[in-house]
């Protein structure tokens, strides 16, 4: 009932930021593939939450005790609003300081203002001056990310501004994982700049980051770099970047790397609340553990109750602003034909998805066995 009339539709409009290379489909429409782009694009995409149901049908299903029945989602349109210059930007050194060329700085200022005006229009439709950013994982297409965020934002009650950050993943064939993993390193710079800019908008009060799979590695690297920069400038990163929730779902991260990244550089302290969803039944993370010969495993299948000695001390280092939810039963809930490895339980399993929604919508601490 609190949803603005403009938002009461089976069509969901999302903002996106991407460094995927633009392409055209057979009909000449814009789409984004797995190619990498040195320039970052900002735009809007519209997703159908079912093509044969009404708003009332969708609302009734959303309020029932049963999860919304699977519907055939589709991307209706993609509109690129602006595209930034190729990075890295030309610069020179003046009196020991790195200075960008004036014309590039001016273009960036114009792009930022265009971005800001679009966000303010969306914020006027909601009572929450908050931004929700979804960062997808390995083997995901642009459409996959749009579907996940459209569904999540709908169950959140269409509050705040929904944004998908889509990086160049989805390379086909046997080398898909290795290509995507390199792309996840490539995109960190662009995500870091996007978070930095969004947090600088005065009207944005909170930023929520929801990362899945390899996207957890992308966002943790970006936050780590932002944390180091803020502390070097004598600033509090949590206050500067306004990160309220940092959610890592099925994170594809080596346990030792995660301990160093989060504990060593105090990344946990850069967010109001950090939540990590893991599952011992996540076969995709299990494969990655073997592929990279992770000596202590990967955090996506790890439960804090299993931690002993130095690992437990390092994972619990700092203040109590984080939770580990070890989900037993990744195969439960709705079946996703593409999810044969129990890797997308944050969407498919009601116990996890409802927990995530309540945390983001009502600012509740996560539940779960741990």
């Amino acid at each position: 009932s609190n949803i603005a009339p403009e938002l009461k539709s089976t069509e969901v409009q999302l903002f996106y930021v991407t460094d995927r290379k633009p392409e055209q489909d057979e009909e000449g429409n814009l789409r984004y593939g797995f190619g990498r782009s040195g320039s970052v694009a900002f735009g809007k995409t519209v997703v159908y939450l079912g093509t044969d149901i009404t708003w009332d049908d969708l609302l009734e299903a959303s309020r029932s005790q049963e999860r919304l029945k699977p519907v055939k989602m589709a991307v209706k349109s993609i509109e690129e609003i602006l595209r930034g210059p190729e990075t890295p930007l030309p610069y020179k050194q003046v009196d020991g300081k790195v200075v960008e060329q004036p014309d590039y700085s001016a273009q960036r200022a114009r792009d930022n203002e265009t971005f800001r005006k679009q966000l303010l229009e969306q914020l006027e439709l909601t009572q929450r001056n908050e931004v929700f950013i979804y960062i997808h994982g390995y083997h995901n297409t642009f459409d996959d990310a749009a579907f996940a965020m459209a569904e999540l934002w709908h169950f959140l009650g269409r509050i705040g501004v929904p944004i998908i950050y889509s990086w160049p993943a989805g390379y086909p064939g046997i080398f898909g994982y290795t290509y995507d993993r390199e792309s996840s390193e490539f995109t960190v710079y662009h995500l870091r700049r996007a978070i930095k800019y969004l947090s600088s908008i005065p009207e944005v009060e909170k930023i929520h980051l929801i990362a899945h799979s390899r996207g957890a590695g992308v966002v943790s690297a970006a936050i780590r770099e932002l944390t180091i920069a803020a502390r070097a400038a004598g600033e509090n990163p949590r206050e500067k970047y306004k990160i309220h929730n940092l959610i890592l779902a099925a994170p594809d991260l080596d346990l030792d790397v995660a301990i160093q990244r989060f504990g060593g550089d105090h990344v946990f302290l850069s967010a109001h609340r950090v939540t990590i969803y893991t599952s011992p039944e996540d076969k995709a993370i299990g494969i990655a553990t073997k592929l990279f010969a992770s000596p202590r495993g990967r955090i996506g299948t790890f439960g804090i109750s299993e931690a002993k000695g130095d690992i437990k001390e390092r994972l619990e280092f700092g203040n109590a602003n984080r939770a580990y939810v070890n989900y037993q039963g990744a195969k439960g809930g709705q079946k996703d034909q593409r999810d044969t490895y129990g890797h997308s339980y944050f969407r498919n399993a009601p116990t996890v998805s409802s927990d995530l929604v309540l945390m983001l919508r009502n600012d509740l601490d996560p539940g779960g066995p741990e």
Side-chain angles (χ1 to χ4, degrees):
S1 60
N2 293 327
I3 299 176
E6 297 91 332
L7 301 180
K8 292 182 178 180
S9 171
T10 56
E11 296 181 4
V12 174
Q13 178 180 275
L14 309 170
F15 290 104
Y16 69 82
V17 177
T18 188
D19 52 2
R20 290 178 182 266
K21 188 176 181 179
E23 301 175 352
Q24 288 186 339
D25 62 19
E26 296 178 354
E27 299 177 353
N29 299 315
L30 172 66
R31 69 178 185 184
Y32 296 101
F34 54 78
R36 300 171 188 164
S37 172
S39 61
V40 177
F42 164 71
K44 298 178 181 178
T45 183
V46 176
V47 175
Y48 282 123
L49 281 179
T51 56
D52 57 353
I53 60 175
T54 66
W55 166 253
D56 290 336
D57 292 335
L58 183 62
L59 191 62
E60 182 180 356
S62 304
R63 288 174 171 173
S64 67
Q65 291 184 352
E66 298 294 329
R67 280 293 306 272
L68 179 65
K69 293 182 179 180
V71 295
K72 185 177 180 181
M73 291 187 284
V75 172
K76 177 184 178 183
S77 63
I78 301 174
E79 177 191 358
E80 189 171 295
I81 297 173
L82 62 87
R83 176 169 291 275
E86 290 279 332
T87 57
L89 300 176
Y91 65 89
K92 59 183 178 179
Q93 196 169 19
V94 179
D95 297 329
K97 296 183 179 180
V98 175
V99 180
E100 292 180 359
Q101 292 186 6
D103 53 340
Y104 284 94
S105 296
Q107 180 62 49
R108 174 180 291 170
R110 289 192 293 270
D111 290 347
N112 287 349
E113 184 58 22
T114 299
F115 195 162
R116 176 176 171 272
K117 287 180 178 179
Q118 293 284 337
L119 260 66
L120 292 185
E121 289 181 7
Q122 180 70 30
L123 286 174
E124 290 178 357
L125 300 177
T126 177
Q127 297 177 350
R128 302 272 288 269
N129 292 336
E130 303 175 18
V131 172
F132 300 84
I133 307 175
Y134 175 67
I135 305 99
H136 62 75
Y138 150 74
H139 199 53
N140 276 198
T141 65
F142 179 91
D143 289 5
D144 290 335
F147 296 155
M149 189 55 181
E151 186 179 65
L152 174 60
W153 191 56
H154 173 71
F155 281 107
L156 285 175
R158 308 198 179 197
I159 56 176
V161 179
I163 300 177
I164 56 173
Y165 182 88
S166 188
W167 50 280
Y171 191 90
I174 192 172
F175 296 108
Y177 185 85
T178 53
Y179 175 91
D180 284 6
R181 196 177 191 287
E182 293 297 283
S183 287
S184 74
E185 300 289 343
F186 164 81
T187 199
V188 169
Y189 172 79
H190 294 146
L191 176 59
R192 190 187 76 206
R193 295 198 67 91
I195 295 172
K196 184 179 180 180
Y197 169 66
L198 285 166
S199 65
S200 73
I201 299 176
E203 293 83 358
V204 173
E205 297 175 359
K206 295 179 181 177
I207 293 177
H208 306 275
L209 300 169
I210 307 101
H212 177 236
S213 183
R214 189 58 206 160
V218 175
V219 75
S220 64
I223 297 302
R224 173 181 176 269
E225 294 176 8
L226 289 170
T227 295
I228 293 171
R231 290 217 173 89
E235 299 172 308
N236 183 325
R238 188 185 300 184
E239 295 177 359
K240 181 177 178 64
Y241 303 119
K242 306 176 184 176
I243 300 173
H244 195 73
N245 279 296
L246 172 59
I247 299 171
L248 308 180
D252 183 8
L253 273 168
D254 180 278
L255 181 60
D256 289 329
V257 172
I259 289 172
Q260 292 288 358
R261 184 170 293 173
F262 296 129
D265 291 308
H266 315 307
V267 172
F268 278 139
L269 304 182
S270 297
H272 171 75
R273 179 190 291 117
V274 179
T275 305
I276 301 175
Y277 289 99
T278 70
S279 172
E281 298 179 37
D282 190 330
K283 293 181 180 179
I285 298 297
I287 293 172
T289 299
K290 295 179 181 179
L291 181 64
F292 290 101
S294 299
R296 301 205 226 188
R298 299 180 87 72
I299 201 167
T301 56
F302 197 81
I304 189 63
S305 63
E306 304 169 15
K308 297 178 181 179
D310 65 323
I311 294 182
K312 185 174 183 179
E313 291 178 1
R314 292 174 185 178
L315 287 174
E316 292 180 344
F317 178 79
N319 64 351
N321 69 322
R322 59 198 171 281
Y324 302 86
V325 182
N326 194 236
Y327 175 63
Q328 306 286 333
K331 296 178 183 178
Q334 290 182 12
K335 297 297 182 182
D336 184 336
Q337 292 181 352
R338 297 192 58 181
D339 185 30
T340 58
Y341 295 96
H343 190 51
S344 295
Y345 55 89
F346 83 104
R347 289 181 62 194
N348 300 334
T351 53
V352 180
S353 60
S354 59
D355 189 70
L356 189 150
V357 166
L358 289 172
M359 178 167 40
L360 293 171
R361 187 181 64 200
N362 299 342
D363 202 23
L364 299 176
D365 287 334
E370 298 180 0

